[in-house]
Amino acid sequence: MSIVITGAGIVSAIGIGKAETLQSLLEEHTGIAPLQYLRADNRQFLAGEVKLSDEEMKQRLGISNEPTTRTSLMGMMALEEALSEAGLWPNNCQQSVAFVSGTTVGGMDKSEQYYLDYLGNDSHNDYILTHDCGSTTELMARRFGIFNMITTPSTACSSAANAIVMGANLLRSRMVDVAVVGGAECISRFHLNGFNSLMIIDPHQCRPFDADRAGLNLGEGAAYLVMENDEHARRRGAQPLAFLAGFGNACDAFHQTASSDDGEGAFLAMQKALRMAALQPSDINYVNAHGTGTPNNDVSESRALRRLFADTLPPVSSTKGMTGHTTSASGSVEAVICLLALQHAFLPANYGFTTPIPDGIIPVAHVETGRQLKHVMCNSFGFGGNDTSLIFEKNK
């Protein structure tokens, strides 16, 4: 059974929707800028914020007074694009559809905003129920009303990638006809300060895989894929955008927040994905790396890539220099970027790169167009060593 992708939607710092995102990628436009929308004391930080306020997103979605969170608002916009392209919305959907959405922050932004009100008065108590990760998924699901199954994986920065894996397994076991998969994550003060306490936030524009890298810039966003088996897609006349050819997950459990020195978990995840796809390393035409810009990750991932690909290392880039690190949403944000690269024949730039790491990989410094791609790999690595790799194949 082949798993096809019949719809995709994305919201991030470089665009609302696939068209804006594609334009930003081709023009090497970064969305990283001083904080504008997050109410934080540390406003000196740069971040990849979605360039809309909560109120502006509500207006776009036609939402008035019901309690919502920034994570769910971004998710609703990305979902609407994905479901519309797949022909599942606003038409009546007669299929069995699962919604698997990864997040870690969930509705924490509103908990931070209204916490003192929860303690002192009853003016915003409705938002208490929007705090947890699962309620964020339910807020999104209720808007569309087509889902028969809803679940929320939370594995830190590999959450959205693992949502894609879980959706694929639901399809392979024929538990559902369609799986809508991905993730959503807003920036909160809690995780901004948390990453800062780890001393891995760069106060300037981040530079993944650069010898002078000094950390990451946080980002936010949402992205979703509509997946189904190829027979089901043909029966309903849906046009595939690409195939999910393989995936792999591994956990090296090396450290709570650091990657292992030799990249063992990353290596095993990529190896498993290749094995499932029945591909050789030389068959991969591009790798969208996890590439956070931290001293630890970029060396660890470089070693894993060199270990796996050896003399056949394909072009590699991290797009987090443009979107920021969208944490739990990064796996699906970058999956959609991979789909755009497959469809439009280009290699995304590794924004900010100038100087190679000694013995590290040398990424694609600037966008390269006219590059026909057949197989691309998308890496997403989480805290605790929960590492996931996805392989997408161009529609035949």
Side-chain angles (χ1 to χ4, degrees):
M1 181 183 75
S2 296
I3 295 176
V4 298
I5 298 157
T6 55
I10 185 170
V11 172
S12 77
I14 59 171
I16 309 300
K18 290 196 293 180
E20 287 185 13
T21 302
L22 175 62
Q23 183 177 358
S24 292
L25 291 168
L26 293 175
E27 295 176 356
E28 297 185 26
H29 170 69
T30 181
I32 293 172
L35 284 169
Q36 180 180 353
Y37 299 101
L38 178 67
R39 300 178 183 181
D41 295 331
N42 301 319
R43 301 200 67 81
Q44 77 275 15
F45 287 125
L46 300 180
E49 291 181 294
V50 170
K51 305 302 185 281
L52 291 171
S53 68
D54 289 11
E55 289 305 314
E56 288 170 327
M57 284 191 271
K58 285 182 180 180
Q59 289 173 10
R60 286 194 177 209
L61 292 163
I63 294 173
S64 53
N65 297 321
E66 57 265 41
T68 53
T69 64
R70 188 167 178 84
T71 297
S72 61
L73 290 169
M74 293 186 297
M76 289 174 194
M77 290 195 296
L79 265 177
E80 190 165 305
E81 181 180 33
L83 294 173
S84 297
E85 183 172 42
L88 298 176
W89 176 265
N91 304 320
N92 292 327
C93 179
Q94 303 300 320
Q95 292 81 23
S96 171
V97 186
F99 180 37
V100 188
S101 180
T103 189
T104 303
V105 169
M108 195 180 294
D109 62 316
K110 296 304 181 187
S111 297
E112 292 173 341
Q113 184 177 345
Y114 297 131
Y115 178 70
L116 294 179
D117 293 329
Y118 300 161
L119 296 178
N121 57 69
D122 295 330
S123 59
H124 292 101
N125 283 5
D126 286 347
Y127 283 93
I128 294 174
L129 297 178
T130 69
H131 171 82
D132 67 270
C133 297
S135 66
T136 299
T137 305
E138 291 170 2
L139 280 170
M140 289 184 271
R142 280 202 295 269
R143 176 175 177 81
F144 300 96
I146 65 170
F147 301 113
N148 309 100
M149 173 188 172
I150 304 168
T151 191
T152 309
S154 186
T155 56
C157 300
S158 59
S159 297
N162 283 332
I164 293 171
V165 170
M166 184 174 184
N169 284 329
L170 289 171
L171 291 169
R172 293 169 74 202
S173 63
R174 301 193 181 275
M175 292 182 66
V176 296
D177 296 322
V178 179
V180 181
V181 294
E185 192 99 297
C186 74
I187 300 175
S188 71
R189 283 178 286 177
F190 182 86
H191 85 295
L192 178 67
N193 290 325
F195 276 88
N196 190 44
S197 72
L198 295 172
M199 296 184 288
I200 55 173
I201 288 187
D202 192 333
H204 307 291
Q205 167 73 52
C206 70
R207 303 168 298 285
F209 295 111
D210 192 273
D212 191 38
R213 70 201 181 283
L216 56 85
N217 301 136
L218 277 180
E220 63 181 0
Y224 292 97
L225 308 177
V226 177
M227 303 194 310
E228 50 197 303
N229 70 60
D230 54 348
E231 296 173 359
H232 186 269
R234 282 197 301 270
R235 282 200 302 271
R236 68 182 195 88
Q239 179 62 37
L241 306 177
F243 293 82
L244 177 63
F247 52 83
N249 173 266
C251 186
D252 60 18
F254 171 76
H255 187 271
Q256 286 183 327
T257 59
S259 302
S260 57
D261 294 338
D262 59 0
E264 178 71 7
F267 171 80
L268 291 173
M270 292 187 287
Q271 187 181 61
K272 288 180 179 181
L274 282 171
R275 189 178 299 128
M276 176 180 284
L279 297 174
Q280 297 299 314
S282 58
D283 293 321
I284 301 298
N285 308 120
Y286 165 67
V287 177
N288 187 289
H290 187 56
T292 60
T294 64
N296 169 255
N297 175 91
D298 293 3
V299 168
S300 176
E301 190 170 7
S302 289
R303 289 172 178 165
L305 287 164
R306 289 199 178 280
R307 181 178 167 192
L308 181 71
F309 289 101
D311 295 333
T312 65
L313 183 67
V316 178
S317 69
S318 167
T319 46
K320 289 181 173 68
M322 290 178 275
T323 64
H325 187 0
T326 57
T327 54
S328 291
S330 62
S332 56
V333 166
E334 289 154 22
V336 174
I337 289 173
C338 285
L339 296 184
L340 292 172
L342 277 173
Q343 291 177 300
H344 299 278
F346 73 96
L347 298 176
N350 194 106
Y351 191 91
F353 172 81
T354 57
T355 308
I357 303 169
D359 298 322
I361 64 163
I362 300 176
V364 179
H366 297 286
V367 66
E368 297 181 18
T369 57
R371 297 290 296 262
Q372 297 299 321
L373 308 175
K374 185 176 181 182
H375 297 108
V376 301
M377 177 178 281
C378 185
N379 287 339
S380 190
F381 306 146
F383 281 168
N386 194 309
D387 301 331
T388 298
S389 186
L390 310 168
I391 296 176
F392 298 101
E393 180 180 343
K394 187 176 182 179
N395 186 28
K396 300 177 179 66

